[in-house]
Amino acid sequence: MQPLFETEVHAQLRAQARRFAQQEIAPHARSWEEAGEFPRELYRKAAEAGLLGLSFPEHLGGGGGDLALALATSEELLIHGRSVGTVVGLGSLAIALPPLLSLGSEEQQRRFIPPVLAGEKIAALAITEPSGGSDVARLQTRAVRQGDHYVVNGAKTFITSGCRADLLTVAVRTGGEGHGGISLLVVERGTPGFRVSRKLDKMGWWASDTAELSFEDCLVPAANLLGAENSGFLAILQNFATERLMLASQCVAIAQLAYQETVAYARERHAFGKSLTGFQVLRHRLADMATRIAAARALTNEALHRLALGHDVTALAAMAKNTATDMCCEVCDQAVQLHGGYGYMREFLVERLFRDARLYPIGGGTREIMNEIICKLEGY
Amino acid sequence: MKILVPLKRVADPDNANKVKIPAGGATIDTTGLEWKPNPFDEYALEAALRLTENGASPKARQGEVVVVSFGPKDMEPTLRSALATGADRAIRVDAKDDQLDGALVARALKALIEKEKPDYVLMGKQAVDGDSNQVGQMLAQLLGWPQATFAATIQEEAGALLVGREVDGGVLTLRVKGPAIVTVDLRIVAPTSVFSKSTARTFKYNDGVRFAPLPAIMAAKKKPLAEVKLSELTSDTALRVEYVKFEPPPGRQAGVKVKDVGDLVHRLKNDAKVL
């Protein structure tokens, strides 16, 4: 079924993303996930195929499209590439670069964005700290202006693509307490005093690296400040709203993949003299999976469509994220269950998807924070 | 250089299990099928694009590539996607699939080619639906043009094309001077299969067919896409091929375990009857 609101352009991009995923990702999916890394070369290949930065302006090397186009392609990359870690690693620029677009000067945009969209450099977003993630307004990494530089001290953690990133959009405290004292700085690899302190071992998303970063008297040129001092918080919030829709859409794709794998398995696997789909209790479970996926997709697409129409989708995006992340965890859990013992084995895709899925109710704003946003906007 | 690329849309071979044959087997039910360009024709388009550029700077086009297809209006996305990858113009000959056979397509293409006057016609060696493998050859005969079929490599050299064909004993190289018909095999999209006169012989393409970036997809909407009526190209629209019956391939039988080599040979001889 052609997705609602989608055009011939979406269909063509989907077809190309599918081809790219089948050729360049799927054959290596398992080995990259097991190795905990995919080759850097893939960024350049994805850029050449026009799949990086679809929603960024053309004059900066982007595709000039919107978020819905970017998400349609990422859905294809997930379903046909069969490696969540690889796709989210490739996609870290989609959360790292938007603050540069909203706050950065033309000169900063021209300097930092095109090499990332060409796949030559890797970009990451660094907000969360060891002492807290949800409570962004209380972040502690401090940047003190000294002449032409900021001296940055502090630490960041859970940073997707942080180990290999060439440039990071880093949230720092330049002013007083609370959200009014936060700025965004672009920190480049090789800046004195900046280092990757640890590559973190995670439950899922293995093919994408996740870093702990440390800043010790790190000297960042003042020219790398995005926007005015202490104006970073709003850009961070705006970035979160689209990130939530990205995560919701990833959940729909991951669940769809887990569902497809399970339907294929249930058709082939025989027990008590018939295939698993021959048992009403099991095929109803498949029907429930399909239904929940369709519901989450519908809500995510509504939020995306409203965003394109210019509506405020803050609450809707939070609802879509919670709906999709809950759905994805449940569908992947059922996928493992229907695979029986094989579902617990690393050689089966659903085992990995089950682990990948668990990130989503946490990352990009936890399930609980989403509910707080909804409460606030609903007025209670 | 001007190249004409005939392009056929086919039912997506990845979804072949969705093909339905109504009772009686006289036709194929195409409702619900997803369409995509015939892969060999996509390879021909890629080869045509490579022949009309310097591989190192493909944005500066050095020739004209015209794509043409026979089909109803709803096949236009296939043509627009060819325009997005770099073709300059598209022509749709309005027709339904069941009004066509290879001979009729060849007759109509002949008339179109006489009007368009391309230097070369590049096309897939066959379509993956009917697997007829005949339009290119028929077209060469009708036009009285030289043909080089199953091209695995093409190099432009001294005003002609050197076409490498993989044959049983090795590689056969033909020199064809335009106007000529070249039909291509799948290896034509390997990294060093096609060189225009301006592409350095050390240049390597990405393996396979190129991708169209989003700006090119948007720009393709403004490229010319003309519609021509089949009757404008040929008055003889009679079909030479009649489809008598369609049958799905037989379902796969369960395998058997053989005891030893003797048993295997016995079964190959008597059950499978392949020895």
Side-chain angles (χ1 to χ4, degrees):
Chain A
M1 222 180 336
Q2 179 161 336
L4 267 187
F5 309 123
E6 291 202 359
T7 63
E8 184 183 322
V9 174
H10 295 80
Q12 194 176 343
L13 279 174
R14 277 182 183 274
Q16 296 198 106
R18 195 176 311 144
R19 178 155 66 88
F20 182 84
Q22 286 165 344
Q23 282 172 6
E24 303 290 345
I25 302 177
H28 316 286
R30 179 144 186 259
S31 60
W32 290 347
E33 290 283 356
E34 292 288 326
E37 197 172 83
F38 62 89
R40 263 192 93 110
E41 173 73 0
L42 193 67
Y43 286 96
R44 196 193 50 75
K45 285 185 176 172
E48 274 186 8
L51 296 170
L52 286 191
L54 270 167
S55 60
F56 288 85
E58 264 185 78
H59 74 276
L60 297 172
D66 63 6
L67 186 62
L69 276 172
L71 295 191
T73 57
S74 109
E75 200 174 295
E76 297 293 329
L77 293 178
L78 283 165
I79 292 178
H80 297 280
R82 304 163 71 86
S83 168
V84 177
T86 302
V87 179
V88 297
L90 275 180
S92 62
L93 66 91
I95 52 173
L97 297 186
L100 273 140
L101 275 186
S102 58
L103 289 180
S105 67
E106 211 184 304
E107 197 269 323
Q108 288 172 326
Q109 293 180 0
R110 286 191 181 280
R111 187 173 145 216
F112 293 122
I113 296 180
V116 176
L117 298 187
E120 291 156 9
K121 288 189 171 179
I122 299 175
L125 176 72
I127 309 269
T128 297
E129 302 185 347
S131 59
S134 295
D135 194 0
V136 180
R138 223 181 289 266
L139 65 85
Q140 293 174 1
T141 297
R142 183 158 279 285
V144 180
R145 177 87 185 237
Q146 276 184 9
D148 289 342
H149 286 82
Y150 282 96
V151 183
V152 182
N153 279 288
K156 297 284 172 185
T157 195
F158 310 147
I159 307 308
T160 302
S161 298
C163 297
R164 299 198 290 187
D166 301 292
L167 56 102
L168 296 113
T169 310
V170 183
V172 293
R173 183 164 304 285
T174 42
E177 296 293 296
H179 58 75
I182 294 172
S183 300
L184 289 168
L185 284 177
V186 176
V187 178
E188 291 174 273
R189 169 198 284 278
T191 306
F194 163 72
R195 69 190 174 89
V196 177
S197 35
R198 207 148 65 94
K199 180 173 175 174
L200 299 166
D201 282 329
K202 332 183 266 301
M203 178 189 286
W205 277 30
W206 285 0
S208 100
D209 65 84
T210 304
E212 194 174 270
L213 310 173
S214 85
F215 302 85
E216 288 170 61
D217 292 328
C218 171
L219 282 181
V220 181
N224 288 13
L225 174 73
L226 299 179
E229 222 175 59
N230 301 326
S231 71
F233 192 71
L234 189 64
I236 294 173
L237 286 195
Q238 284 168 345
N239 198 22
F240 274 150
T242 51
E243 182 183 5
R244 275 160 206 154
L245 290 177
M246 288 175 204
L247 295 171
S249 135
Q250 287 170 22
C251 281
V252 171
I254 294 167
Q256 178 70 34
L257 179 56
Y259 168 70
Q260 286 170 5
E261 291 290 300
T262 308
V263 170
Y265 180 82
R267 280 207 175 107
E268 297 233 322
R269 176 75 175 176
H270 281 66
F272 303 103
K274 52 184 174 183
S275 70
L276 298 191
T277 47
F279 293 89
Q280 194 179 46
V281 69
L282 297 183
R283 64 171 182 261
H284 280 201
R285 217 175 283 174
L286 290 171
D288 285 336
M289 288 161 86
T291 306
R292 297 195 62 179
I293 295 168
R297 177 182 288 128
L299 186 54
T300 307
N301 283 350
E302 183 187 343
L304 263 178
H305 191 60
R306 287 186 183 278
L307 182 71
L309 293 174
H311 299 181
D312 178 5
V313 295
T314 314
L316 206 57
M319 292 174 186
K321 179 175 186 276
N322 275 357
T323 305
T325 58
D326 286 359
M327 174 281 292
C328 187
C329 289
E330 172 69 17
V331 165
C332 290
D333 180 66
Q334 288 301 318
V336 169
Q337 188 66 25
L338 266 83
H339 274 75
Y342 291 114
Y344 199 64
M345 297 297 125
R346 285 252 287 274
E347 66 201 271
F348 275 72
L349 178 60
V350 292
E351 180 273 342
R352 169 148 53 83
L353 297 180
F354 173 83
R355 291 186 282 104
D356 292 333
R358 194 59 188 87
L359 174 276
Y360 289 87
I362 303 171
T366 64
R367 201 179 187 295
E368 292 70 27
I369 291 293
M370 292 307 101
N371 274 342
E372 281 300 296
I373 290 168
I374 297 164
C375 291
K376 202 168 170 188
L377 291 161
E378 288 289 310
Y380 40 76
Chain B
M1 185 187 291
K2 177 172 175 178
I3 302 178
L4 188 112
V5 180
L7 192 96
K8 183 181 186 182
R9 73 161 185 180
V10 295
D12 185 351
D14 291 340
N15 285 318
N17 57 346
K18 286 189 189 161
V19 172
K20 283 186 235 56
I21 300 171
T27 54
I28 285 179
D29 181 5
T30 58
T31 45
L33 290 183
E34 285 168 38
W35 302 94
K36 63 185 290 182
N38 173 39
F40 289 113
D41 296 341
E42 279 191 300
Y43 306 153
L45 173 60
E46 174 66 29
L49 293 171
R50 290 184 187 185
L51 282 172
T52 50
E53 70 189 12
N54 176 343
S57 53
K59 274 188 183 161
R61 307 302 312 162
Q62 301 178 351
E64 191 183 13
V65 175
V66 182
V67 287
V68 52
S69 193
F70 292 68
K73 187 155 183 71
D74 68 4
M75 67 84 50
E76 285 186 352
T78 305
L79 285 173
R80 271 191 291 273
S81 95
L83 292 172
T85 56
D88 300 276
R89 284 193 293 127
I91 300 167
R92 181 177 66 84
V93 181
D94 191 49
K96 286 195 193 125
D97 289 327
D98 55 10
Q99 293 174 327
L100 301 169
D101 64 11
L104 174 48
V105 169
R107 288 198 297 281
L109 277 177
K110 171 182 184 271
L112 194 70
I113 286 163
E114 283 168 347
K115 228 188 284 176
E116 287 285 337
K117 299 187 175 55
D119 299 303
Y120 295 95
V121 174
L122 250 65
M123 56 201 294
K125 64 171 184 171
Q126 68 197 69
V128 298
D129 51 1
D131 277 339
S132 303
N133 189 339
Q134 58 186 9
V135 174
Q137 294 87 329
M138 287 176 170
L139 190 55
Q141 168 69 23
L142 291 175
L143 288 163
W145 286 10
Q147 61 173 325
T149 53
F150 313 145
T153 58
I154 304 175
Q155 292 192 29
E156 186 186 2
E157 209 183 80
L161 299 183
L162 281 185
V163 177
R165 310 173 71 230
E166 291 176 352
V167 293
D168 281 350
V171 176
L172 180 71
T173 304
L174 303 177
R175 178 189 297 276
V176 276
K177 251 189 135 121
I181 312 282
V182 181
T183 76
V184 305
D185 205 343
L186 63 115
R187 261 176 296 280
I188 201 72
V189 292
T192 56
S193 288
V194 180
F195 291 99
S196 71
K197 64 174 186 289
S198 38
T199 300
R201 295 304 190 254
T202 49
F203 183 79
K204 274 191 172 180
Y205 277 95
N206 284 337
D207 201 7
V209 176
R210 66 193 60 195
F211 292 90
L214 179 56
I217 295 175
M218 303 309 279
K221 292 179 176 180
K222 297 195 190 85
K223 287 187 178 178
L225 197 169
E227 184 189 333
V228 177
K229 292 211 163 32
L230 187 58
S231 57
E232 291 170 37
L233 297 177
T234 173
S235 53
D236 175 8
T237 55
L239 297 182
R240 307 290 195 270
V241 175
E242 184 194 349
Y243 287 98
V244 181
K245 195 173 182 205
F246 292 94
E247 273 179 273
R252 244 182 99 161
Q253 303 290 316
V256 286
K257 273 191 183 159
V258 293
K259 284 199 304 283
D260 48 31
V261 175
D263 187 20
L264 173 67
V265 172
H266 176 81
R267 283 176 181 277
L268 287 175
K269 252 187 193 154
N270 299 299
D271 298 350
K273 296 191 169 62
V274 291
L275 289 183

